[in-house]
Structures are given as structure tokens and as C-alpha cells.
Amino acid sequence: MRVPLSWLREYVDLPATETGRDVQAKLIDVGLEVETVERLGEGLKGPLVVGQVLTIEELEGFKKPIRFCTVDVGDANGTGEPQEIVCGARNFAVGDKVVVVLPGAVLPGDFKIAARKTYGKTSHGMICSGDELGMGDDGTHGIIVLPPEYEVGTDAIELLELVDEVLDIAVTPDRGYCLSMRGVARETATAYGLPLRDPALLDVPPPNASGYPVQVSDPIGCDRFTARTVSGLEPEARSPIWLTRRLQKAGMRPVSLAVDITNYVMLELGQPLHAYDRATVDGPIGVRRATAGEQLTTLDGTKRVLDAQDLVITDNRGPIGLAGVMGGANTEIAGAVTDPETGQLRGTTDVVIEAAHFDAISIARTARRHKLSSEAAKRFERGVDPEAASAAAQRTVDLLVLLGGGTAGEGVTEVVSPRGPRTLTIPADHPDKVAGVEYGRETVVRRLQQVGCDVYGQDELVVTVPSWRPDLSDPNDLAEEVIRLEGYENLPSTLPKPPAGRGLTERQRLHRRVGRVLAGAGYVEALNYPFTGSHVLDQLGIEPDDPRRSAVTLVNPLSDEEPDLRTTLIPGLLGALRRNYGRGSHDLALFETGPVFRATGDEKAASRLVVDRRPTDDEIASLDASLPQQPRRAAVVLTGAREQAGWWGEGRPAIWADAIEAGRAVAREAGVELIVRQDQHAPFHPGRCAALLALVDGEEVLVGNAGELHPRVIKAMALPERTCAMEIDLDRLERAGAGALKAPTISSFPVATQDVALIVDGSVPAADVEAALRDGAGELLESLRLFDVFTGEQTGAGKKSLAYALRFRAPDRTLTAEEATAARDAAVAAAVERTGAVLRG
């Protein structure tokens, strides 16, 4: 919301010395987000005056039309003689009043004006456009042509209100009333402790039977509809300068008198209005829900197919407007046009004014459904004062009569669905408890009254909420009003005291340990949005029957290309890797931990929980039953150099084994030793993919996969060659673990190392050989490591040699050579029996 300071002063008697910066600081103190203060006309210096065009000479022989003009500027040039000016614009004629800047003046942007020779003539100044004066868009993009009543030589800086300050306020959704001068003025008056001149306090005639007929078929969607009529408007009537300048400063473009007045009143009171050309409205005005498939061409020229939930304004022909969002083109106010036969001006002379109050949720959904964000919809979806409709209609009528020469119709239509005032009960000391500050009852009552509440009672306050504050629906909302007006900066800085004996759960500790161990291994955490689309799964080569295709689709996604919640962490990480690689970072190792979402098909519709009490256990269970599965995952992606080259030696590129090791590191934090087997699983290369398994209740359970991505995936997603990835299920790891980790016992006795090389068939997984050795070695085995895999003529066709390092240690003594050898032989015997291995050599 853009708020001109000169306009704000009409409602609040601010001290003359207060600048826009001062007002900004005050409004920020009471909780408004004033982002900037724009100083219009900064650096502007006259003479800048009203002039009248006397003659126009067309200059020939140039690439673009050029005109040499003489302009009467009165005594502003010191001589009284006509001013000679060269101008390229063509939207003015002899006799028009224009804005002239004379030599010696300075325009915004430090543009100094001096006499200069151009196009064979000497130009003594400029005839100005709105853009050159920093006025904003007036719809013409040409020279400013003033009404004829302004005298030649009049100071145009004051006439056009070129010097002002404009506060740009970011209005949060709960402060919809501040999308109006009335609302901002109320906050300003409160901040300064000054009285407010409420522009909505108007004498409004009561409704009568002679008003324009209105039929509201949906009183929930529209609980108030005011209609007024004005006839006999002068088609040639233009918006006065003060009106157009206020619209421009507020960021709106002047259109025509009737439209400008409705926009002006909307900015002033916060009540959106619409004016219909009465000659084009057929019969009574109605308000109803649209019929699915109905069509309406809105004022922006777009033909829209309506939804059954859209609220529409109708006449006997059908929809003539999208209620609360945008009017229809078939009842648009017609601009003044000269009749070629009679020479008379024709245009809209009779109008019907609509001031209504619509349901905020309905308007918000309609605006999003049609991707149509209008100034009216922006206000309705944040909450509009229903009691302001009649005052806004009266204000519009008054301005149309005053500025357009019209006559107000005697009929007044008011269709109102009765509603009582909203009343809340709050303990007088409730704000004290919320803020931790003792305000006292008198302060609480005074502050609530300042925001428009009626307050009664002593220890228990009965508060009637004003109609313009739909956001005040809870005692905590009232407490917030007291706290913000008393000043957030006055709240004490005290840390909360957590109750003893509560800390992180074992699940949370595991999640943090996983993040720490991956960060310690050189991975950088990347936090990605949990949204995805089916096209990403296509790029990953995931089959249609894969469980990762069972996605949860959002009803109102942020992007139409990513309507689903993620079923795997890898696509988000690959997107981050691709972005960073494209920006020159070629050695990358990223990780992420978080939930994925898997739809089961058994989810039930969620019930809306109450907010005035704690939900029951059954209600919470019902809500849980409506949620999809949300297993926690950890994933990594890596590419480029895993170890950098330098004077110390050659580096090493990242390979599939690094991804597997990342999985092992994560599993060790859960107290689990992974079993690694060869696998085929999208999106991994079929020959470089590992299944990560863990023992859960004595059975091997798949907990993740790791390896190098398939070349087709790398090509489809424009990734670097040999990109590797790993993803693992933290919930399954937690079930496989033995509970809280225990610190290892470090033996003070020496270790006995025994190496063994076994020849097995090429189809035998190394994990099976490792498991047999581990089981056969017994309790003395401290660790087991595969350090060499060899194939060749020495092993025989279809065979491979696996070399392991076995470390034996006893906790209470030094092992003898015989004990270590016996343990080694037992391990080999188990491997021979279970895998058919042969001891090499």
C-alpha cells in the first residue's frame, strides 16, 4: 500500500515538522512494515509553469515528426514574450494548456534545463510529459494537457503536487484494513496519540423501496450489497488534477472519471466498488454461484470459463462480473466519444454503483483459480469492513455529483444478512501473562479502545471487536494488540526455562549424528524443497509400478510443474548439484536428510480440528490416519575429485565406492554394520549399483542403495559424467540398531593380524564370504576388511580371489600365535563350507 504523506495529513493533524522518515519510524513501532519512503520531486527546481500553446510549425526533413511551438508562459520568463520550444510530441494542439519547464530549472534525475539548438532551431525549455516530471503513468505517455481553467504562468510544481513523500507499506494478511488510507490513518493516529478524522463518518440515507433492484441468492457468499444510482453525468467530465495525482502516487493509473472515483474511494476507505453503465445492465442485479461452464469476458479482455464455486454478479442475460475480483466487459463504463454525425460527445451518463461485502475465502479461491489478482480481490481476501459499504457508496455518489455534474438517485438499496457483533472474553491480566510485563487493566482497556474495541468489565473483560478487524478472533489476538501498541522493544529479553529431564529423543539424536558424520566426511548439506513432478521420475528411469511413483499430489501446488511431494531425496540433490556445477563448482559432495512421502491409498479424509481446546486422542488418531507414510531418509550425491591432487601426490575421483562408504558411515551411527550386495535399481548403473542391507530381527532388510548413476539418467538430467549417489532409510536403520550407542571398550592388549585369500566363483557375493568368515572366526575377531579383489589366469576362468585382513584381539590377555591361527582356520573352514571357497596358495 502506497500512502502519500500529504493525503495522510487530511485525516491526522501531524506536526508540520514530521517527515516521511519520522512517520515510518512511528508506524514500524506499532507493527506495520513500512519498507521505503519515496521522496517525490527530490531535486526538482523551477521555473515550471502552466503555458498555452500559441502556434505550431511542423518541421520537415527529419526522421521523426518535429514541431516548433510558441508558448505563452506569462511573466514566468521575465519578458512576457512567447517562449520558443522544439517538441516531438503530437498529442496537443494550438490553444491547449501545457506544462512548460524554462531554462535554469532542474527536473528529477538532476536533468538541468538550458536553451539549446536542435533541429535547426533554438529551444528555450521543454513542454513536459508526466514521465519527465516523475508523475507516473497517466495512460497517454504523452504531453500533459491541462484543463483550460488554469491560468497561464501558474506554478505547476504546486498545481501538480510534484513534491511529496510516499510511504510504501507491506501489508501482512492479518492487517487488511491497512490497505486503505482510513486504516493507515487510524494506525498513525494511535502511534502519535492524535485524534482521527474518520472519512467513513458520512450521513447515509436509509434504504428504501425505490432503489435499484438487487437479488442475492447466496447470502453466505455475499452478506451485504449496496446499490446506488447517479444519472446525468457529463460525458466530457474529466478527473481533476488532485484526484489523478493521488491515484498516481498510490500506484494506480487514471482511466476515466467514474472509474477513477471508485478507485479513489477504494483507496480511501478500503471498500472495493464497481460502477456499471446503467444503459447496458439488463434488469435486476443478482448475486449467485456460477453454473459450471458459464463464460464471462472480464474487463481485461479475457474470456473466462467459470467454475461452480465462483461467485458472480448477474443481470437477465447472465454473468456481468466476477464478484469481488473484476467486472465484465459488457457493462464497462464507456469513454467519451464524439459522434461523427452530430459532433456531440457520447459516453456513459447513468451509472449503477455496487458496494458489497463478499466472503474472503470464496474471493481468494476465485482469484487463484483464474490467476487474476486485482486490487479488489487483494482487499476482499484479507477482510473488508462490512459496515463501510454504505459509506463508500455514499462517498462515490457525492464525488460523481460534485465532479461529474450528475444527479443522485433517490433510491437506496441495501440487502443485508443480519449478523451480530463479535464478542470475546479475556482476563484483564491476559496480555501481562503473554508478554511477561505488568501492563495493568487501565492500559489494556485503553489500548483495546484505541484499535476500535468496546470494552466492559473489571477482572474479566468483555470485548466487542470492531467490524474492520476480522483478524481479532482470539484472546491472544487482543493481547497482541496491547503488546504491539505498548512497543515490542519494551518487552524484556529473558530466555525461557525448559523443564528439567527433557531433551532430544534417540530418534532426533540419530538424525543429528548422521548430519554430523556426513559433514565430517566432506559433504555439504543442501536443503531442497520437498516438491517434484512425474517428469523427474521419468528422467530417473523409474518404472510405472515402482513404489516411488505413489506420490501425494497437492491440491494447490506452488508450481504446476511440481505438484507432488517427493518420494525420494535424490532428485532435489541432483538439481542442486547441477546448479552448482553450472556455476563452476566441479568437485561436489552434497547431502540431505529429511522425510519423503509415500501414498498408500488407505488415507482417509482429514477432519478439521477444533482450536478452542486440546484435540482428543481419537481426533489426533484420525488426523494421523489421513497422513501418508513419511519415512526419514538420508542421501548423498557426489561428482568430481574426492581427493585433490597436489604436491603431496595425485588426487582421486569420486566413484561408486565412495557412495557406498557414505552409506556405511550413516549406518555406523545407528550401530549397524551394512551388508553390501550387487543390485539393479533405478536410477543406478546396473553394473555399479549396490544394495545396502541390514539385519532386522535376524532377517536381511533392504535399507538403501548406492552406486553410480545410469548414463541415460546423466544425459537426461544434464549431469556430470560418473555422478554417484546413495540413499538410505533412517527409520529402518533405527529398527536394525541395538538402541543407544555404547562406547567401545578399548583393549590394552596387542592385536594379532592374519591375512587370508580365498578363491570363489565369480557369482559368489563378497558379502556372503565376509559373513561366513565373521561367523567362523568367533568372538576373538575384532574387525574384517576386504583389501584386494583379483581375477586372472592364476585364479582360473570364472573365478575371483578375495583377500581379507582379519584382526584378532582378546580383552583380557595377549593372544598366542596358536590361538590366532586357530581362529583364522575356523573362519576359513566356515567360508569353505558355506561358499565353496578354496584357500589360495
Side-chain angles (χ1 to χ4, degrees), residues 683-753:
F684 297 100
H685 190 299
R688 297 168 188 162
C689 172
L692 307 180
L693 307 164
L695 290 176
V696 179
D697 298 329
E699 294 185 5
E700 291 186 0
V701 175
L702 180 70
V703 296
N705 288 93
E708 183 180 310
L709 295 183
H710 198 290
R712 284 198 297 267
V713 174
I714 289 175
K715 182 178 180 180
M717 301 190 74
L719 298 169
E721 293 183 359
R722 298 300 178 105
T723 297
C724 301
M726 181 279 298
E727 185 170 21
I728 196 166
D729 191 314
L730 296 180
D731 291 337
R732 291 183 181 178
L733 279 181
E734 189 176 14
R735 289 196 297 272
L741 287 180
K742 296 181 180 179
T745 301
I746 306 299
S747 175
S748 59
F749 295 96
V751 65
T753 302

Side-chain angles (χ1 to χ4, degrees), residues 240-261:
I241 290 176
W242 66 265
L243 178 59
T244 59
R245 288 298 294 134
R246 285 187 173 180
L247 291 177
Q248 288 174 324
K249 291 176 185 178
M252 302 189 76
R253 180 173 63 86
V255 179
S256 63
L257 178 63
V259 175
D260 291 350
I261 288 175

